[in-house]
Amino acid sequence: MTESDPKNGKNGNFVPLYSHPKSCLIPNKNPGMAREFKSLSQDLGLFRIWKMPPSPEGSRHTETLGVGKAIAVLTSGGDAQGKGTPTPQISRIPNPRDPKIPGIQNPVLGMTLGGILGSRRDFRTREGRLRAARNLAKRGITNLCVIGGDGSLTGADTFRAEWGGLLAELLKTGGITAEEAQRSSYLNIVGMVGSIDNDFCGTDMTIGTDSALHRIMEIVDAITTTAQSHQRTFVLEVMGRHCGYLALITALACGADWVFIPESPPKDDWEEHLCRRLAETRDGGSRLNIIIVAEGAIDNGDGGTRGNNPFSPLVVKRLGYDTRVTILGHVQRGGTPSAFDRILASRMGVEAVMALLEGTPDTPACVVSLSGNQAVRLPLMECVQVTKDVTTAMNEGRFEDAVKLRGRSFQNNWNVYKLLAHIRPPATKSGYTVAVMNVGAPAAGMNAAVRATVRIGLIHGHRMLAVHDGFEGLAFGMVEEIGWNAVGSWTGLGGSKLGTKRTLPKKYFEEISANISKFGIHALIIIGGFEAFMGGMELVEGRARFEELCIPMCIVPATVSNNVPGSDFSIGADTALNTITTTCDLIKQSAAGTKRRVFIIETMGGFCGYLATMAGLAAGADAAYIFEEPFSSRDLQANVDHLTEKMKTTVKRGLVLRNERCNENYTTDFIYNLYSEEGKGVFDCRKNVLGHMQQGGSPTPFDRNFGTKMGAKAVAWITGKIKECSRHGRIFANTADSACLLGMRKRSLVFQPIAELRQQTDFEHRIPKEQWWLRLRPILKILAKYNTELDTSETAHLEHLTRKVLVPEAPL
């Protein structure tokens, strides 16, 4: 094999896939767009492209991807964090072959490709599309990735449908040559949705939504403090002209008293219900009220409230409460993108590239979406059509249909919120008692899960007990009844209000059994980490000796390490990940203006490398050392050499993450000393051990929402099991499926018998034997400019949205 000429691509092997980005900068807008461009371009455009077939195993070397293909990237529509604007990261990815190649430019109405496609206004006309087609054909670009909303994606699909006719017209008028027309005979399009509103059907989350929620919750938490001090009612208006997702998740995450969304406009008597709800909250001892309003929830004649809402005057007039209105506005679009958005954009970018590389003239335009924990490809126009159907349903007053069309995730969030905010505990009790406890290390979001568990349990009519200090507290009788108002403000609190310990129950079986009988406990919900999983297994084993342990049990994973078998995610991991990412950003920024410097950072996680890997993806690390991927001294030396070479260019900062238990010999001090010695004369080193700060802080919107939904789901399941195992007023549960772990597996929340998870567990190292996120490791290396292999055996395949969203679910 002969390497292509770096200037003109002779030998037919190298195809430039990305161009110099400096002309694309939009100062102070859309921070975080770098993640997508880095995925879409650096994954391929910064590596030599060879004419080699993919390996039989389905993995492809980065040097073999994209042979003969050029990929263009553009963004359009409203700005959103993570959507892809200039940050310091994007300035590191010019085309190394020829910096003279035109890059992405910024016309008045949105980013386009180097003047190639013209402005969005031009693109709406056939004349403009004709000009765009000429520019693409001249450059041999036949693959286009469009990052925007439904309008941008619809325009791109129209462009593709007209492509043949546009080329024919250009050929006829001499705009392009016959060779150029032949070379550009078809156009493939893949879309990614960037929008803070999360208003595009077919994806659980659009890029930018999670970051917007972070901005909103920061403000809500700050307002909550002053509202409590002055006993005020606050009305907060968030964005969402046609979609109430931001308002809904904000309401769930802060425990708001009321939320107004476009998909469910207030009924005729809403004023009475609202005032009664606010008064009940105050009478229960709360010092504040929170009302969340989506800007499109109440139409004042121009499609939204725009701050001119009727809520504040109503509360003042009817209840006499001191009331303030806060309109968050465009602050929701700004700021640094969250770890979730950075990783989402990177993953979607890689999937979009794979979709384009696999595309044929017959492949329909698709959009890369997120479903649970999986990247999926959906027909672009099916998604656009369902999105339009939502608007049509709302315009026609079919609001229940609109909620269903939003998808299962939106429906679940809406149903959980209505349960927690609008339904009161029944006067008739179920006669059953459910206990809830925390076990293991504290994790942000535990309190949100306990709050949901307690309140949903009370709604089911159960008597709810709080167990303090885990299994130790259950053994020593540290149990008390807990009511609705006692957990009212727990959603945004970090740590564990119940108290948590790592003690396992086996040595306390007699005491625990006695207290289960004493307090009349009929079911147990255990929220915690690996110790909660182990404790659950021990309780199941103890059923043979102690009849009192024959009660339904549910384990809810909550640990920053994300190492509980049976679940792709654990409550608390997202908060820890954001803490690490933010800290890495600050640490790297500390080197701004200094000489070249490499930072060695140690993360938590035990033997699980989830935090190190995902933080490495989010923060742009050069390497992340983990236990699951063994490494040797040769690997360390190769990493040092690679970083040394990078430092000889314009790169001034390096970041290396090390999981705390990745290797007992290659300690953080060892790696620090190695890099320091080998980097002499090129860079110096600093090390940081983040420690327990990763377990602290307020939970992120994701962890608040995840904990809330997990708690609600656990209670619903435990209620069913209690009834199933009830015989003549007694509970006897000794089957495997009466002790389950609730976990997120790919796209669903599922209950799995604890006993069945034993075979999936590496007990020595306290990790699952198979971990989904290990498949993302090559992306981290690719983004750090390593030549590596990318496993494409599990890339997504085209699915149909109509089957996924519109077909009614079977009854539970």
Side-chain angles (χ1 to χ4, degrees), residues 199-431:
D199 56 353
F200 191 82
C201 292
T203 184
D204 289 345
M205 289 284 278
T206 57
I207 298 166
T209 301
D210 187 67
S211 299
L213 286 169
H214 274 252
R215 300 294 87 74
I216 295 170
M217 289 313 305
E218 289 168 6
I219 297 168
V220 171
D221 287 347
I223 282 177
T224 298
T225 305
T226 184
Q228 287 176 330
S229 300
H230 294 278
Q231 299 190 57
R232 282 176 174 155
T233 295
F234 265 87
V235 180
L236 285 88
E237 182 178 303
V238 301
M239 285 188 168
R241 179 63 56 83
H242 304 293
C243 179
Y245 186 85
L246 287 180
L248 176 55
I249 300 303
T250 299
L252 268 175
C254 73
D257 297 286
W258 206 276
V259 63
F260 293 91
I261 60 174
E263 292 85 352
S264 182
K267 303 186 186 310
D268 293 338
D269 56 350
W270 67 268
E271 294 95 339
E272 297 295 333
H273 288 296
L274 173 62
C275 291
R276 184 173 64 252
R277 176 76 178 104
L278 299 181
E280 286 176 356
T281 303
R282 289 292 180 94
D283 293 342
S286 176
R287 294 176 57 87
L288 80 156
N289 297 114
I290 299 289
I291 301 171
I292 306 295
V293 185
E295 62 179 332
I298 302 289
D299 194 342
N300 65 0
D302 64 353
T305 59
R306 292 184 176 273
N308 186 25
N309 62 62
F311 313 117
S312 178
L314 173 70
V315 174
V316 173
K317 181 179 179 181
R318 295 274 188 98
L319 300 175
Y321 294 166
D322 188 8
T323 306
R324 297 291 187 273
V325 178
T326 300
I327 304 171
L328 303 190
H330 281 71
V331 69
Q332 297 160 86
R333 295 189 182 275
T336 304
S338 67
F340 181 93
D341 271 333
R342 301 186 196 197
I343 296 168
L344 176 64
S346 297
R347 292 184 65 189
M348 296 299 98
V350 169
E351 190 60 47
V353 167
M354 299 311 305
L356 288 170
L357 296 183
E358 295 168 5
T360 67
D362 300 323
T363 303
C366 72
V367 59
V368 177
S369 301
L370 181 72
S371 179
N373 187 37
Q374 289 186 301
V376 298
R377 301 178 194 172
L378 300 173
L380 189 153
M381 291 314 295
E382 282 187 20
C383 295
V384 170
Q385 184 57 52
V386 175
T387 303
K388 292 179 178 178
D389 289 344
V390 176
T391 303
T392 301
M394 289 195 291
N395 290 339
E396 295 176 353
R398 295 183 289 109
F399 297 106
E400 289 186 5
D401 291 341
V403 171
K404 290 179 181 178
L405 288 166
R406 285 285 182 215
R408 184 184 302 177
S409 177
F410 191 96
Q411 276 184 278
N412 289 342
N413 287 321
W414 181 232
N415 290 335
V416 171
Y417 175 76
K418 286 190 296 184
L419 276 176
L420 290 171
H422 293 269
I423 297 178
R424 295 274 127 331
T428 303
K429 303 301 180 181
S430 68

Side-chain angles (χ1 to χ4, degrees), residues 429-451:
K429 303 301 180 181
S430 68
Y432 300 120
T433 298
V434 178
V436 58
M437 65 169 66
N438 292 157
V439 175
M446 274 183 166
N447 293 323
V450 172
R451 174 182 178 270

Side-chain angles (χ1 to χ4, degrees), residues 133 137 162-172 176 181 184-186:
E162 295 179 347
W163 183 254
L166 294 172
L167 289 187
E169 185 173 339
L170 289 169
L171 183 61
K172 182 178 180 180
I176 58 175
S184 307
S185 58
Y186 67 93

Side-chain angles (χ1 to χ4, degrees), residues 26 75-77 105-113 118-121:
I26 309 177
T75 65
S76 183
Q105 293 181 346
N106 172 32
V108 175
L109 292 176
M111 291 183 64
T112 60
L113 211 85
S119 72
R120 186 169 62 179
R121 181 176 295 142

Side-chain angles (χ1 to χ4, degrees), residues 6 116 174 178 182 196 233 253 259 355 379 421 459 464 523 599 645 656 689 741 776 805:
I116 293 175
Q182 176 71 23
I196 71 166
T233 295
V259 63
I459 288 171
M464 299 302 297
F599 296 94
E645 289 302 311
V656 176
V689 178
L741 181 139
L776 304 183
V805 174

Side-chain angles (χ1 to χ4, degrees), residues 488-501:
S489 60
W490 285 22
T491 307
L493 300 180
S496 169
K497 289 284 287 182
L498 293 183
T500 179
K501 290 190 176 182

